[in-house]
Amino acid sequence: MRVAVYYRNSDVRLEERPVPTLQPGDLLVQMEACGLCAGETAEVYQLPRAPRVIGHEPTGTVVAVGEGEARFRIGDRVFAHHHVPCMACHQCLRGRYTLCEHFHQTHLDPGGFAEYFRVPAEIVRLDTHRLPESLSFEEGTVIEPMACCYKGLRITPTNAGDTLAVVGAGFMGLCFVQLACLTPAAQIVSLDRNEWRLAQARALGATKTLNPSQVDAVAEMRELTEGRGADAVFLTSPSRAALDLAVSLVAPGGTLHINAPPGDPGPHLSAYDLFFREIYVNCAYSASHVDTRAVLDLLTAGRVRAAPLITHRFGLDGITKAIELILSRGQSLKSVIRPSLTGTAEPVIRAT
Amino acid sequence: MPHDTMRAVMFLEPGRLELRQVPVPQVGPGEILVRIRTALTCGTDVKTYRRGHPNVKPPVLFGHELSGDVEAVGPGVERFRPGMRVVPHNSAPCLECYACKHGQHSMCENILFYSGAYAEYIVVPAPVVRLNTFEIPDHLTYAQAAVMEPLACVVHGQNTVQIQPGEHVAIIGAGGPIGLMHLQLALRRGAAQVIAVDLKPDRLAMARDLGATHLINPKTEDPVEAIHRATGGRGVDVAIESAGDAEAWLTALRSVRKGGRVLWFGGLPSGTTITLDTVWVHYGELTLYGVFHATPLDVQRAFELISSGVIDAASLVTGELPLEGVEEALHRMMAGTCIKMAIVPDGTGVH
């Protein structure tokens, strides 16, 4: 089968690998669509692990079922998460599944950017789901990344009448905007330097958008909140400037939620400032089965939408182009990779 | 190595137990065979002996609080080896159902229970070995360690009401083993006042010895009025029912202040109903909790509470009998002349 092997952002090669063989309880899935995650373009993280098959947001069709697996059948359209916890360790018993050591040791085989991938039995049991007919394979790729945002909202206190700010209006920022609409917040403020992205945020429910390259965003936020600032700020950009902006937007006693890996090791944030304003800081670097299940239910019910977040499609041989697109941070959101597209397909921009 | 057969107490029907010679069970993959050194009597055993239990289908091996020595381990067991002193919980959740995925392991759709603590040997099922079995530290007796199971249930119950430092708490049925554990845990959570309510004077004395700040005997005074008198007419912040009695459920409901929390801990016979004053629940903004059993996290915390000495487990075990004495032990429980009895199969007083 064909797989896409990541060497560096400018070098992703199509290689031939054997189709994985199944152990009892496993599934073999023919990959239909797999999203490219911005985290996969962070060379500081990826280069030490290269070369390898990346891609962790896949959906597809079951083509073989391991011995003893009774819940899934050949032909099922499925989403499979790429990590599952052990459910039994110190962290799991406290519900902190993404901190389980076993969580990081579980993987789809060989990864999402492959014509076929094997879902190990433990992932089949804990976090593999049939896609409802109403969700396309492409829409199903949104489950995993949106689950990371869902977790961010789940661990951040929000109350009726709050003002929530989302820094960054890329794919993750727009997930947060949609999920924020499901809270009783009074105002949802989206911030980005790109006007096209701010327009997407308004279309998806932001009550106000601010462009920090054009206005004093902190002053505008105070204007919107009787001088207080936002009750919670969700940071989705890795840039230092975005982090500094996010912390200055938080109201005293509010929460700063960090959902993007900081682009440099720091130090960041003034403890002096956090202390005297009694700011809570929390983080979500990944999501668990609790979050993927909730997002699947929200997508199925139509409470959040995936289609407006998918702007481009490429074949397995177009991944370097998709990476360039993410790094340009322009008029694009999520790119999905589809093996059915041959050659380097032209991107398909959806009207939103 | 054990013999081929062993002595074990069977529950045949309400009011009827029998000590029988049965095969020693064999260990399978992931399981351990434990030579039981101490089993403890429990209020649930008493209820089952009296009237049967919806989850207990006789004839069945009886008893579920135990500790002992690992006699043999099945293939794949790495954490335990023969000779280790261990305490296993009496259940394990499946970790895969809807409830487990939501962290509500006590509501597991496939929860695995096993029994047979009143016997010489028992096989601990693999999921219990993996999740809910602990090595007993040297400073603990077998009897202290075996308190882990009921204490886990108490920890689980108090997770709901979240007693805050300085709060006022009443425990209805404070003098039984469960009530005395609720009492100790409430004090350790910083309760300013813990009012013990019980029908038996010697049990109230035990509650006093363990730190109860106020004693009420419903035989001599109305408990609801007495609790209000003890709290400036307001009622307690938290009332915990641990008597397993419908009247006690209502006493707990009527004893809290406006905005208070009620923990109904004791299970009642199938079909039991109570009548609530809806006006009181509504205008009083009451929060009412039902609880069942415990989660692996509760079990782990109970083990820590006993081994660290935060909870005094030794004082809850007030006597000892051999396997032949299980019925007598249950009768002593019913008469209230003990807190918990230790059943020691080899009769050598090891606890």
Side-chain angles (χ1 to χ4, degrees):
Chain A
M1 67 174 182
R2 289 184 307 152
V3 302
V5 182
Y6 177 96
Y7 288 78
R8 60 179 60 249
N9 279 350
S10 58
D11 184 9
V12 181
R13 302 176 199 168
L14 278 186
E15 295 179 4
E16 285 289 327
R17 292 267 179 92
V19 174
T21 51
L22 297 192
Q23 299 293 314
D26 292 353
L27 295 179
L28 185 67
V29 177
Q30 181 172 9
M31 194 270 274
E32 297 279 0
C34 182
L36 175 68
C37 166
E40 290 172 319
T41 68
E43 289 194 328
V44 62
Y45 179 83
Q46 294 296 345
L47 291 183
R49 293 163 174 80
R52 63 172 182 146
V53 178
I54 56 171
H56 60 257
E57 304 170 357
T59 57
T61 306
V62 175
V63 292
V65 178
E67 186 191 332
E69 167 50 43
R71 201 157 59 92
F72 292 99
R73 291 192 169 81
I74 290 172
D76 280 349
R77 303 165 67 249
V78 294
F79 155 85
H81 198 193
H82 62 125
H83 293 316
V84 291
C86 77
M87 299 296 280
C89 70
H90 180 95
Q91 299 288 12
C92 283
L93 292 182
R94 286 156 179 79
R96 298 187 293 240
Y97 302 114
T98 53
L99 299 179
C100 166
E101 282 183 31
H102 186 70
F103 189 79
H104 310 278
Q105 292 159 6
T106 55
H107 295 286
L108 300 173
D109 170 23
F113 294 149
E115 287 185 295
Y116 297 91
F117 61 90
R118 181 179 66 90
V119 187
E122 58 187 333
I123 296 182
V124 175
R125 286 200 308 274
L126 267 181
D127 207 354
T128 300
H129 303 281
R130 261 184 218 93
L131 292 175
E133 280 180 24
S134 60
L135 285 186
S136 69
F137 287 114
E138 288 187 7
E139 290 171 315
T141 67
V142 167
I143 294 169
E144 192 278 340
M146 193 185 274
C148 297
C149 303
Y150 176 84
K151 178 179 170 186
L153 261 158
R154 181 164 64 78
I155 64 177
T156 301
T158 55
N159 288 295
D162 277 1
T163 296
L164 307 181
V166 181
V167 175
F171 173 86
M172 296 297 264
L174 296 177
C175 286
F176 269 113
V177 166
Q178 291 197 66
L179 292 164
C181 291
L182 304 178
T183 73
Q187 302 189 88
I188 298 163
V189 184
S190 170
L191 300 97
D192 202 288
R193 293 172 177 275
N194 179 313
E195 286 295 332
W196 179 83
R197 291 185 169 196
L198 291 179
Q200 315 306 308
R202 284 191 294 274
L204 290 170
T207 58
K208 175 83 179 172
T209 56
L210 295 173
N211 185 332
S213 66
Q214 291 178 6
V215 298
D216 180 344
V218 175
E220 293 277 337
M221 179 60 75
R222 293 212 172 113
E223 188 74 20
L224 290 168
T225 55
E226 298 172 326
R228 287 189 305 273
D231 299 290
V233 177
F234 301 92
L235 174 64
T236 68
S237 160
S239 84
R240 184 65 174 265
L243 174 60
D244 291 342
L245 172 64
V247 73
S248 50
L249 292 171
V250 189
T255 304
L256 170 64
H257 173 71
I258 301 177
N259 200 267
D264 66 276
H268 305 109
L269 300 176
S270 156
Y272 186 90
D273 176 40
L274 297 179
F275 180 83
F276 283 105
R277 294 198 295 137
E278 292 191 350
I279 305 292
Y280 291 87
V281 179
N282 64 23
C283 307
Y285 104 93
S286 189
S288 72
H289 56 280
V290 175
D291 310 297
T292 51
R293 179 57 199 246
V295 168
L296 173 59
D297 288 348
L298 287 171
L299 284 166
T300 304
R303 304 290 307 277
V304 291
R305 292 195 298 150
L309 305 176
I310 299 167
T311 55
H312 294 74
R313 302 183 193 117
F314 296 89
L316 271 174
D317 53 359
I319 292 173
T320 51
K321 287 206 164 189
I323 290 173
E324 280 172 31
L325 197 63
I326 284 194
L327 295 173
S328 72
R329 298 196 162 78
Q331 295 189 13
S332 70
L333 297 168
K334 177 64 76 181
S335 289
V336 293
I337 307 303
R338 304 211 55 169
S340 56
L341 299 179
T342 53
T344 304
E346 285 304 306
V348 178
I349 299 187
R350 273 176 203 275
T352 53
Chain B
M1 282 303 291
H3 308 289
D4 294 342
T5 62
M6 65 173 188
R7 292 175 305 142
V9 173
M10 305 282 292
F11 173 66
L12 300 178
E13 61 185 20
R16 219 178 127 218
L17 302 179
E18 195 172 286
L19 185 59
R20 286 189 182 171
Q21 201 72 20
V22 302
V24 174
Q26 303 293 306
V27 280
E31 297 177 340
I32 59 176
L33 177 68
V34 172
R35 178 187 167 206
I36 295 165
R37 302 298 294 267
T38 294
L40 298 178
T41 57
C42 163
T44 303
D45 295 342
V46 174
K47 283 194 264 185
T48 306
Y49 178 67
R50 264 185 174 160
R51 63 181 190 233
H53 190 284
N55 295 342
V56 178
K57 305 275 176 258
V60 68
L61 293 170
F62 201 41
H64 62 273
E65 298 176 9
L66 70 106
S67 59
D69 301 331
V70 176
E71 185 77 27
V73 304
V77 173
E78 288 170 5
R79 218 153 48 85
F80 300 102
R81 45 178 198 280
M84 269 188 180
R85 304 165 73 233
V86 292
V87 53
H89 189 56
N90 70 330
S91 74
C94 76
L95 302 179
E96 289 176 8
C97 69
Y98 191 86
C100 282
K101 283 180 177 173
H102 286 72
Q104 295 172 306
H105 301 99
S106 57
M107 296 291 101
C108 172
E109 294 158 27
N110 313 302
I111 191 164
L112 168 74
F113 282 105
Y114 69 108
S115 63
Y118 302 136
E120 289 179 287
Y121 295 94
I122 192 165
V123 163
V124 181
V128 180
V129 173
R130 175 169 173 246
L131 272 178
N132 278 342
T133 301
F134 299 84
E135 184 178 9
I136 303 173
D138 291 344
H139 68 277
L140 288 188
T141 65
Y142 290 107
Q144 284 174 302
V147 171
M148 180 180 80
E149 191 276 333
L151 181 59
C153 301
V154 167
V155 169
H156 184 65
Q158 287 207 15
N159 284 344
T160 59
V161 286
Q162 293 290 324
I163 294 165
Q164 301 297 309
E167 286 198 315
H168 300 261
V169 178
I171 301 175
I172 319 300
I178 294 290
L180 292 170
M181 284 186 269
H182 272 302
L183 167 70
Q184 293 187 59
L185 197 55
L187 287 165
R188 288 303 297 228
R189 296 191 71 124
Q193 184 181 31
V194 181
I195 302 168
V197 180
D198 205 283
L199 293 163
K200 297 196 173 68
D202 51 339
R203 291 191 162 209
L204 284 173
M206 180 123 181
R208 185 194 59 223
D209 293 345
L210 284 169
T213 54
H214 200 106
L215 309 178
I216 293 170
N217 188 333
K219 277 187 176 162
T220 57
E221 55 186 334
D222 181 279
V224 176
E225 283 175 18
I227 287 168
H228 280 83
R229 273 200 306 280
T231 52
R234 192 173 63 237
V236 287
D237 301 295
V238 173
I240 298 173
E241 182 282 335
S242 60
D245 174 82
E247 192 57 40
W249 277 50
L250 291 171
T251 300
L253 182 75
R254 294 172 185 140
S255 298
V256 290
R257 65 167 170 88
K258 283 189 168 186
R261 289 104 73 200
V262 177
L263 171 59
W264 285 319
F265 189 92
L268 304 179
S270 298
T272 306
T273 56
I274 58 170
T275 303
L276 296 181
D277 177 357
T278 57
V279 169
W280 171 226
V281 174
H282 175 81
Y283 290 98
E285 281 194 358
L286 302 193
T287 308
L288 311 174
Y289 292 102
V291 292
F292 169 69
H293 203 49
T295 71
L297 181 55
D298 301 319
V299 178
Q300 192 185 88
R301 287 183 169 150
F303 176 76
E304 297 293 340
L305 287 169
I306 293 171
S307 49
S308 63
V310 168
I311 295 295
D312 174 1
S315 62
L316 303 176
V317 184
T318 54
E320 183 180 306
L321 286 167
L323 273 179
E324 292 77 3
V326 171
E327 274 193 292
E328 184 190 334
L330 295 179
H331 283 285
R332 283 198 209 174
M333 293 279 286
M334 284 186 256
T337 56
C338 67
I339 303 295
K340 288 173 96 67
M341 293 295 292
I343 303 300
V344 179
D346 57 10
T348 53
V350 288
H351 92 272

